[in-house]
Structures are given as C-alpha cells and as structure tokens.
Amino acid sequence: MKKIMCLLLVCLWGNLNCFGFTNSNLDIVVTQVPLTSHLKKYYNGYQYKITNVSKNKYNILSAQIINGNDGNIAFATTKNNEPSAIARTWMIAGPAGLFSLGIGWVLGLIATPIVAITSNNNEKKVQIECLSYTNLIPLGIINTGEDVNINTLVPIGSKPQLKITIQDCQTNVLYTIAH
C-alpha cells in the first residue's frame, strides 16, 4: 500500500507543473517556406504562426527567434558571398583571349553588359524576397482567436527556436515558452 501511495504522489507531483500553462493555450506552428532566389544557397525560410486558442488574453512581453536573421542581414550576406558575375566573365574571357588571338576579349566585351543586367536583376529578386522576412515578433496583447505571423531566415544547417515570455492578463502570471 505504501508503494502505491508513493507512486501516486510522485505522479501527481510530476504533473503539477502542467496545470498552470499548457501548450494548448497557445498554438505555435512552424512551417518551412521555400525560397526562390539565390537565398536558397545560404538560408532556409521559416514562418511561425502563434495563435491564442484559450479563453484568456495574453500579453507578449519579450520574444526572440534564436538563429533567425531578418532579410537585410541575409541580403548583405548573400551579396557578399556571391562572386561578381562580371569578374567571373572576365576570368574566363581574359585567358581565352590570349589563346584565341583576341576573340575571347571581344566576346567578353559583348557579354559584359548582358551579364551586368542579368546580375542586377538577380540581385533585385533577392532583395524583394528578403523584404518579407522581418524576424520581428510584435509585442503586446494577443486576444482570443488572434494569431501572429513571423517570418525568419535561418542559415542552412541550423534550426530556428522561438523563445517567448508572455503574461496572462487575467492572473498576471508570467510564462516562458521555448518552441
């Protein structure tokens, strides 16, 4: 009888933490977003959707996405890591011109404006795609049934992790969630 009573007490004591705040109060969904520009060489896109499914209002006091980058940082990183298209063109045309009696240089001169326009268009595509990835979580009240969406970019090989501190507006109790 003592063993059963001790086992029952241990089980109840282990579950006491679950009675205050449960994951069923906030529904957090992470989905991977496919990238279409040169960003996909260096980053994975993720979208967090936080939905209040409880009867209480919650106040988001602080929040951050660990390993997450906003679009401006990702654009600068991608731009710095991508070699210049014009430099690549002349790395081929320069030596080719020596062995082809100048034909490679002529082709390099013809190709330079075309390569510059194409490179500029690709850079604009990356910049436009980066605009939707803010990595900012709006702080404030989240009412019942409301949701908050956050887009973030994470370097390839890393996983994002959401760390959020909320306050129950009814009881003023603070909760920290890591997802």
Side-chain angles (χ1 to χ4, degrees):
M1 185 66 174
K2 282 184 179 179
K3 290 180 183 179
I4 293 173
M5 196 64 144
C6 288
L7 183 64
L8 183 63
L9 285 174
V10 168
C11 289
L12 286 175
W13 181 69
N15 289 326
L16 282 179
N17 295 335
C18 298
F19 292 127
F21 183 83
T22 62
N23 286 340
S24 62
N25 293 339
L26 287 179
D27 186 26
I28 301 174
V29 178
V30 182
T31 55
Q32 189 168 1
V33 179
L35 300 174
T36 58
S37 65
H38 288 294
L39 279 176
K40 64 184 172 186
K41 290 182 180 179
Y42 306 103
Y43 291 97
N44 290 322
Y46 289 94
Q47 180 182 40
Y48 274 95
K49 183 176 183 181
I50 303 169
T51 306
N52 183 357
V53 293
S54 73
K55 296 177 184 175
N56 297 344
K57 293 191 299 188
Y58 291 104
N59 186 10
I60 300 175
L61 299 175
S62 69
Q64 72 178 35
I65 298 177
I66 300 169
N67 293 335
N69 291 323
D70 70 343
N72 294 329
I73 294 171
F75 176 69
T77 303
T78 303
K79 187 175 178 181
N80 291 339
N81 288 342
E82 282 294 310
S84 169
I86 295 174
R88 282 185 287 177
T89 302
W90 281 103
M91 284 173 36
I92 296 169
L98 289 174
F99 298 111
S100 64
L101 302 174
I103 295 174
W105 295 331
V106 172
L107 291 175
L109 286 173
I110 293 170
T112 298
I114 297 168
V115 169
I117 291 170
T118 305
S119 173
N120 193 23
N121 286 341
N122 288 339
E123 190 174 300
K124 285 183 181 178
K125 287 179 187 177
V126 171
Q127 190 173 21
I128 289 170
E129 189 172 32
C130 285
L131 291 176
S132 65
Y133 294 94
T134 60
N135 201 41
L136 293 176
I137 302 168
L139 302 179
I141 303 290
I142 181 169
N143 293 315
T144 302
E146 283 186 347
D147 59 347
V148 176
N149 293 320
I150 306 105
N151 293 333
T152 188
L153 293 167
V154 178
I156 290 179
S158 299
K159 294 286 183 190
Q161 183 181 6
L162 174 69
K163 186 175 181 184
I164 187 168
T165 302
I166 62 170
Q167 178 182 25
D168 189 337
C169 291
Q170 206 170 28
T171 62
N172 291 330
V173 177
L174 293 175
Y175 301 104
T176 301
I177 304 168
H179 187 275

